[in-house]
Amino acid sequence: MSDLWDDLENFARAPSSSTAAPGERGTIKAKANFNVSEDVAALRKAIEGIGTTEKTLIDILTHRSSSQKQAISKAYLETTNRILVNDLKGDTQGSLEDLLVALARPPAVNDAKWLIEAIKGAGTDNNILIEILASRTNKQIKELSAAYAEETKKTLIQKLKTEVSGDFGKAILLLAEGARDESTNVNADKAREDAKALYHAGEKKLGTDESKFIEILCKRSIPHLRQTILEYKNISGKTLQKSIEKEMSGNLEELLVDIVKCVMSTSAYFAEKVYKSMKGAGTDETTLTRVMVSRGEIDMLDIRAEFKKLYQNSLFKEISSDVSGNYGDCLNVICGGED
C-alpha cells in the first residue's frame, strides 16, 4: 500500500472523495422517471409469488437512490401493511439477504445497525468501530448517532463510554462527537506547527505523547491534515503512517493509521478493505457487503479506480472470481462495470 503515498505533493492538492456528495462518484444513482407505485407492484410480485424473483429485487435496489428507496419503503408499508426490510429478510437468506436488506435501509440506519452489531455481546469488534468512525463525515456521524439513539434508546456516546477505554477510548469518543473542524482553508504555517508537534510527541521523544496525536488527528480538518502529513514528511523524512506504526500498537495504532489513510484517500482506504475481504481462503462477506453498500452511492467509481491502480486487477473481475450466484451478481451491479 505504501507506494500509493509516494507522490505526496500531488496528494496534498487532490480533491478528497470524503467530501463528494452522494451520487457524484457513486454507481448507485437516482432513477430518472422514477415511479414509486410501479416499483412497489414489482417488489410485491417478486416477493409474494411462488419463489422469490431475486433478479427483480436486485434490479430495483441497486438502481434507485437512497431517498427513492425510502419512498418505496413508505409506499410498500402503506400498500401492504408490511415492512419491506422484514419481507426481504423472510424471502431471501444468507449473504444475499444481508446485502438486499442493507441496500433497502437508509445509510445512517445501516451504520447504526453495524455499530450495534460491533458493540453487542462480550467484547467489541473494534475493526468496524474504527472503519465507520474514521471514514465518516461529521454529517454522517450525526445522522448515524440519531439512528442509533432511535434504535437503542441510548446515545452512541453513552454506550461507547462503557465499551472503550484508555487512549483508544478517548480517540473514539472524540470521533463519535462528529465535531471535526470542517474549514477548507489551509494555513501552511499551522500545518507545519502541527507536524512539528507530532514529530516531537513521537519520533523525537522517549516514549510517545499519544494525546497530541489524538488531538490533532481527531479534531483538525481533512485539508489541514493533508498539508500536515506533507509537512511531516519534510521534517521527519518518514511518512506519518510509518511513524505511528513504529511508535504505537494495538487499537490506537490501527485507528490513527486508518484516519491517516482516510485523510489521504478514502477511496484507496476502501479499495484496500475490499481487497483484504476477498484475499486468501474464504471471503469476509460481512465486510465486503458493508463497504460495497456504504460506498455505492458515494465514491464507488473512485474505489474501482484505486483498486485497479493498487492491485492491477479490476474490482469487477476480483468479485466475479471470488463470489458467485445472486450475491455476486448484486455486488457486481454495485461495482458498476469492468474498468
Side-chain angles (χ1 to χ4, degrees):
M1 193 77 186
S2 59
D3 57 344
L4 178 68
W5 317 133
D6 289 345
D7 193 1
L8 284 169
E9 289 288 350
N10 288 337
F11 132 74
R13 291 158 187 74
S16 166
S17 63
S18 64
T19 59
E24 278 179 19
R25 303 297 300 151
T27 49
I28 298 177
K29 296 177 182 290
K31 183 182 192 288
N33 309 315
F34 169 58
N35 184 320
V36 71
S37 49
E38 268 179 24
D39 283 349
V40 169
L43 287 169
R44 285 188 70 179
K45 192 175 171 194
I47 290 167
E48 292 167 7
I50 298 169
T52 301
T53 318
E54 279 141 350
K55 295 269 185 277
T56 302
L57 304 181
I58 292 167
D59 185 52
I60 291 174
L61 294 173
T62 56
H63 291 99
R64 307 292 183 274
S65 67
S66 183
S67 58
Q68 288 177 335
K69 283 183 277 195
Q70 297 335 297
I72 291 168
S73 293
K74 187 168 177 282
Y76 188 91
L77 177 62
E78 287 163 2
T79 310
T80 66
N81 213 23
R82 298 195 311 268
I83 294 166
L84 176 59
V85 162
N86 292 350
D87 279 3
L88 290 170
K89 284 179 185 172
D91 263 62
T92 55
Q93 54 192 359
S95 298
L96 180 66
E97 177 196 320
D98 294 340
L99 182 54
L100 294 176
V101 164
L103 284 166
R105 287 191 306 217
V109 172
N110 277 330
D111 279 347
K113 295 265 191 193
W114 291 326
L115 286 175
I116 290 164
E117 203 58 38
I119 292 167
K120 87 174 186 198
T124 300
D125 186 337
N126 289 315
N127 290 333
I128 295 175
L129 208 52
I130 289 168
E131 177 195 307
I132 291 176
L133 293 176
S135 65
R136 302 307 192 250
T137 62
N138 286 352
K139 183 173 182 283
Q140 288 170 321
I141 288 171
K142 292 277 196 286
E143 287 168 355
L144 74 85
S145 296
Y148 186 92
E150 175 96 8
E151 199 74 32
T152 65
K153 310 302 172 218
K154 272 190 188 151
T155 73
L156 178 59
I157 300 270
Q158 278 171 334
K159 182 61 180 167
L160 287 172
K161 280 180 179 168
T162 68
E163 296 293 323
V164 290
S165 58
D167 289 319
F168 174 66
K170 282 180 205 157
I172 283 288
L173 288 168
L174 262 182
L175 293 173
E177 285 173 14
R180 183 182 288 288
D181 177 23
E182 289 184 320
S183 159
T184 53
N185 297 328
V186 176
N187 180 319
D189 291 337
K190 284 192 174 157
R192 203 169 300 118
E193 271 171 38
D194 274 351
K196 276 184 192 159
L198 291 170
Y199 182 59
H200 288 288
E203 281 185 71
K204 282 290 277 183
K205 189 178 167 68
L206 192 62
T208 306
D209 179 1
E210 285 90 353
S211 63
K212 186 54 73 179
F213 280 83
I214 292 166
E215 183 198 341
I216 291 171
L217 290 172
C218 297
K219 287 185 174 180
R220 303 290 194 266
S221 74
I222 301 298
H224 173 89
L225 286 175
R226 289 177 149 216
Q227 187 64 33
T228 302
I229 289 167
L230 182 63
E231 300 292 349
Y232 189 91
K233 181 94 186 319
N234 292 338
I235 293 165
S236 158
K238 256 192 218 149
T239 65
L240 181 56
Q241 181 181 330
K242 288 233 164 43
S243 292
I244 292 167
E245 287 166 347
K246 179 174 173 281
E247 298 293 325
M248 296 184 200
S249 61
N251 290 322
L252 182 64
E253 177 199 337
E254 195 185 326
L255 173 61
L256 297 182
V257 164
D258 279 19
I259 292 170
V260 169
K261 285 179 177 179
C262 286
V263 166
M264 300 185 83
S265 168
T266 319
S267 42
Y269 170 73
F270 282 111
E272 183 186 21
K273 280 258 171 198
V274 169
Y275 176 75
K276 284 184 172 170
S277 76
M278 294 186 279
K279 191 178 153 204
T283 303
D284 175 0
E285 290 177 348
T286 307
T287 299
L288 189 54
T289 295
R290 190 175 62 248
V291 174
M292 296 298 285
V293 172
S294 66
R295 308 314 292 185
E297 215 173 329
I298 298 173
D299 56 357
M300 188 53 66
L301 293 171
D302 298 325
I303 291 169
R304 231 166 63 184
E306 290 295 349
F307 191 94
K308 189 148 201 183
K309 199 192 296 179
L310 289 165
Y311 306 111
Q312 287 74 56
N313 194 12
S314 82
L315 179 54
F316 185 95
K317 283 185 185 148
E318 196 78 34
I319 290 169
S320 300
S321 66
D322 206 75
V323 288
S324 57
N326 285 319
Y327 175 67
D329 291 345
C330 188
L331 287 176
N332 269 329
V333 177
I334 300 170
C335 177
E338 287 203 45
D339 58 320

